[in-house]
Amino acid sequence: MPQYSFFCNACRKEFSVVLTLAEYEKGGVKCPHCKSTKVEQKWAAFFAVTSKKS
Ligand SMILES: [Zn+2]
């Protein structure tokens, strides 16, 4: 399952959550620290790791 990194604009902390695509598209990601929904997604470096298939 993909892991998503977020940054909370309310408490200015970063966190990462594991979500299914359905959960992700539904939105409603909350900061685990302050429960705010004012979060923005960060695209972390580990996302660049993709396997090459031919
Ligand atoms: Zn927060």
Side-chain angles (χ1 to χ4, degrees):
M1 233 184 297
Q3 186 177 39
Y4 299 93
S5 291
F6 291 88
F7 176 78
C8 175
N9 283 310
C11 68
R12 312 196 76 75
K13 282 178 183 156
E14 289 179 27
F15 61 97
S16 49
V17 286
V18 176
L19 297 170
T20 64
L21 190 60
E23 285 174 320
Y24 173 69
E25 286 182 339
K26 203 165 54 181
V29 176
K30 282 183 189 163
C31 170
H33 303 290
C34 67
K35 308 287 190 270
S36 172
T37 53
K38 289 184 183 173
V39 298
E40 65 183 53
Q41 189 167 10
K42 289 172 60 77
W43 291 101
F46 63 78
F47 248 88
V49 181
T50 47
S51 59
K52 222 182 200 177
K53 284 178 189 170
S54 55

